[in-house]
């Protein structure tokens, strides 16, 4: 018995105030749709997953996802998704809003379980606030009456159906419908209500992004790592710092290119994963790393993080030296590190301080670097 997932992502979402439709908008280290897709990972009996998108949206999706082009209405988009899923002959389908990235697992499992007994099931929350009718007249809004809330529910998704029953219901739909429950009921199907959840919000308004992020961070794996490195000055005419060659009266001594900033950042990323330091992955005793460009180390740490499902949320590096002056090179360093890490430059910080002529950095015997990295797994 295979379970198909149909994610409706064709809407334009104008109320969310984002430049792009909200489902493609960044949220907590990924896109909204990435979090939504992750909700259905490893479900028992999971079959095909279809994302129905607008023809203008050509954003990449994971290889295992089937796509379909949406129609002018929600029900037309769902029909396009059902047609794309039909060749897989699934027995059940969950139809879910792309803009609901925080659905608790228990809600999804309850919908699936209810399909053992009913041809359709959907999560909803009983209305607990008092309901008023009000008129907006010029600039005032006045209460005109009270609405009885008993028996009223706020509908959520995923809405679950026996696949063939939903296909048949959609074949007979006559007018635009609010959702698939309305279409199923019009076709005479019983729809069971299972408990919804307050965290199962549909991102609609700009403030919803912050709330969704708070919910997601609550269950996220967030890692912080730090790194520290020192290299001494030697004869030379330039130093490598954070991927940039900076002219100087000395060079930096080291087994590799001695890029002290990049080493500290690399160690911070390894540290966040409890993966030791550069020396563990690139032993100084191994001659193949002699004089190696440090971007090899940094790229390795970033790839290890990605392979473990982490996004690099940010890195911050402080170089400690009297000279050379870092300020004129900081933005080039920021860009170089961002390119190696494959993240946007606004997630990379390079700054510098002197040590007030105190200590080994103050005596210009060498350069020290400190770094912090944050890794996030949705
Ligand atoms: Mg080093």
């Amino acid at each position: 018995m295979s379970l198909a997932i149909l994610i409706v992502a064709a809407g334009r979402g104008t109320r969310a105030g984002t430049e792009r439709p909200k489902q493609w908008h960044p949220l907590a280290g990924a896109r909204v749709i990435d979090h939504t897709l992750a909700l259905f990972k490893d479900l028992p009996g999971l079959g095909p997953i279809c994302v129905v998108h607008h023809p203008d949206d050509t954003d990449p999706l994971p290889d295992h996802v089937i796509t379909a082009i949406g129609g002018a209405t929600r029900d037309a988009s769902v029909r396009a998704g059902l047609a794309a899923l039909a060749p897989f002959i699934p027995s059940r389908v969950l139809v879910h809003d792309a803009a609901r990235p925080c659905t608790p697992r228990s809600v999804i499992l309850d919908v699936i379980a209810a399909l053992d007994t009913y041809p359709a099931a959907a999560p909803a929350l009983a209305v607990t606030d008092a309901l008023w009718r009000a008129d907006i007249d010029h600039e005032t809004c006045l209460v005109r009456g009270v609405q009885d809330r008993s028996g009223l529910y706020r509908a959520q998704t995923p809405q679950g159906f026996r696949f063939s029953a939903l296909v048949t219901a959609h074949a007979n739909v006559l007018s635009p419908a609010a959702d698939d429950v309305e279409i199923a009921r019009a076709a005479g199907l019983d729809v069971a209500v299972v408990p919804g959840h307050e965290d199962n919000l549909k991102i609609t308004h700009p403030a919803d992004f912050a709330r969704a992020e708070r919910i997601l961070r609550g269950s996220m794996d967030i890692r912080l790592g730090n790194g520290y490195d020192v290299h001494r000055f030697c004869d030379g005419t330039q130093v490598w710092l954070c991927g940039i060659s900076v002219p100087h009266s000395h060079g930096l001594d080291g087994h590799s290119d001695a890029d002290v900033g990049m080493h500290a950042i690399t160690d911070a990323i390894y540290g966040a994963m409890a993966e030791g330091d550069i020396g563990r992955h690139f032993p100084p005793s191994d001659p193949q790393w002699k004089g190696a460009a440090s971007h090899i180390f940094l790229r390795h740490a970033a790839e290890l993080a990605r392979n473990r499902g982490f996004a690099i949320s940010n890195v911050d590096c402080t170089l400690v030296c009297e000279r050379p002056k870092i300020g004129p090179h900081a933005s080039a360093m920021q860009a170089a590190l961002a390119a190696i890490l494959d993240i946007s430059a606004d997630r990379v910080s390079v700054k510098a301080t002197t040590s007030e002529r105190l200590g080994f950095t103050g005596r210009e015997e060498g350069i020290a670097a400190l770094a912090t990295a944050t890794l996030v797994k949705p």
Side-chain angles (χ1 to χ4, degrees):
M1 273 206 315
S2 95
L3 173 74
I5 308 297
L6 197 169
I7 294 174
V8 191
R12 309 322 283 153
T14 50
R15 282 174 294 178
T18 53
E19 214 171 280
R20 298 285 326 280
K22 57 196 175 185
Q23 56 271 30
W24 310 108
H25 198 74
L27 172 69
R31 300 171 302 178
V32 170
I33 193 138
D34 298 319
H35 293 287
T36 305
L37 284 167
L39 298 172
F40 301 98
K41 215 171 106 186
D42 302 328
L43 279 177
L46 183 66
I49 299 173
C50 178
V51 171
V52 184
H53 64 90
H54 191 275
D56 292 349
D57 297 340
T58 52
D59 307 68
L61 286 164
D63 288 341
H64 69 277
V65 170
I66 301 161
T67 59
I69 302 290
T73 58
R74 182 190 165 90
D75 53 85
S77 293
V78 172
R79 276 192 295 284
L82 292 173
L85 289 166
F88 298 90
I89 321 174
S91 56
R92 298 166 171 191
V93 61
L94 299 183
V95 182
H96 190 59
D97 298 325
R100 291 189 194 266
C102 308
T103 313
R105 190 77 164 184
S106 61
V107 171
I108 297 170
L109 294 176
D110 284 351
V111 171
I112 296 169
L115 292 177
D116 289 343
T117 312
Y118 298 94
L125 287 170
V127 173
T128 52
D129 295 323
L131 292 178
W132 299 334
R133 280 188 305 279
D135 293 335
I136 297 176
D137 185 15
H138 302 294
E139 268 145 37
T140 57
C141 183
L142 296 175
V143 176
R144 300 296 184 194
V146 175
Q147 178 78 43
D148 181 9
R149 66 172 178 256
S150 60
L152 291 184
Y153 283 80
R154 291 152 52 205
Q156 298 185 335
T157 73
Q159 299 180 349
F161 306 89
R162 293 181 188 159
F163 188 82
S164 56
L166 186 62
V167 170
T168 305
H170 266 274
N172 299 319
V173 70
L174 291 175
S175 61
D179 60 15
D180 297 280
V181 164
E182 186 180 339
I183 290 168
R185 289 201 65 256
L189 298 178
D190 282 338
V191 182
V193 176
V194 305
H197 199 290
E198 288 293 352
D199 285 353
N200 189 14
L201 82 162
K202 183 176 185 179
I203 295 177
T204 307
H205 300 291
D208 294 335
F209 282 97
R211 198 180 141 213
E213 182 145 352
R214 277 198 301 277
I215 294 166
L216 290 167
R217 297 255 183 233
S219 60
M220 265 182 166
D221 191 352
I222 301 176
R223 307 288 190 91
L224 196 67
N226 69 66
Y228 176 72
D229 195 26
V230 173
H231 282 263
R232 69 172 71 238
F233 283 125
C234 61
D235 288 343
T237 57
Q238 54 96 33
V239 291
W240 281 100
L241 290 171
C242 295
I244 300 294
S245 170
V246 179
H248 191 48
S249 54
H250 292 81
L252 282 174
D253 190 26
H255 183 73
S256 64
D257 63 15
D259 189 330
V260 62
M262 211 182 281
H263 293 179
I265 295 169
T266 306
D267 277 353
I269 295 171
Y270 286 136
M273 293 183 285
E275 267 292 338
D277 57 13
I278 295 176
R280 184 198 288 188
H281 298 276
F282 300 92
S285 55
D286 187 337
Q288 68 169 308
W289 308 123
K290 177 123 187 83
S294 295
H295 64 75
I296 295 169
F297 311 151
L298 184 58
R299 198 164 272 131
H300 175 267
E303 274 170 20
L304 190 63
R306 268 188 208 102
N307 290 342
R308 295 203 174 171
F310 287 105
I312 298 169
S313 186
N314 80 301
V315 298
D316 181 22
C317 178
T318 302
L319 298 164
V320 186
C321 58
E322 304 293 328
R323 292 184 313 124
K325 290 292 168 218
I326 304 302
H329 306 282
S331 62
M333 293 173 176
Q334 184 185 20
L337 292 169
I340 295 164
L341 292 166
D342 196 17
I343 59 178
S344 60
D346 66 353
R347 293 177 181 274
V348 178
S349 157
V350 178
K351 56 199 193 300
T353 183
T354 71
S355 51
E356 299 284 339
R357 299 235 149 252
L358 297 170
F360 69 87
T361 52
R363 293 187 298 271
E364 298 193 41
E365 294 167 2
I367 298 182
L370 305 93
T372 307
T374 314
L375 308 186
V376 176
K377 190 188 291 189

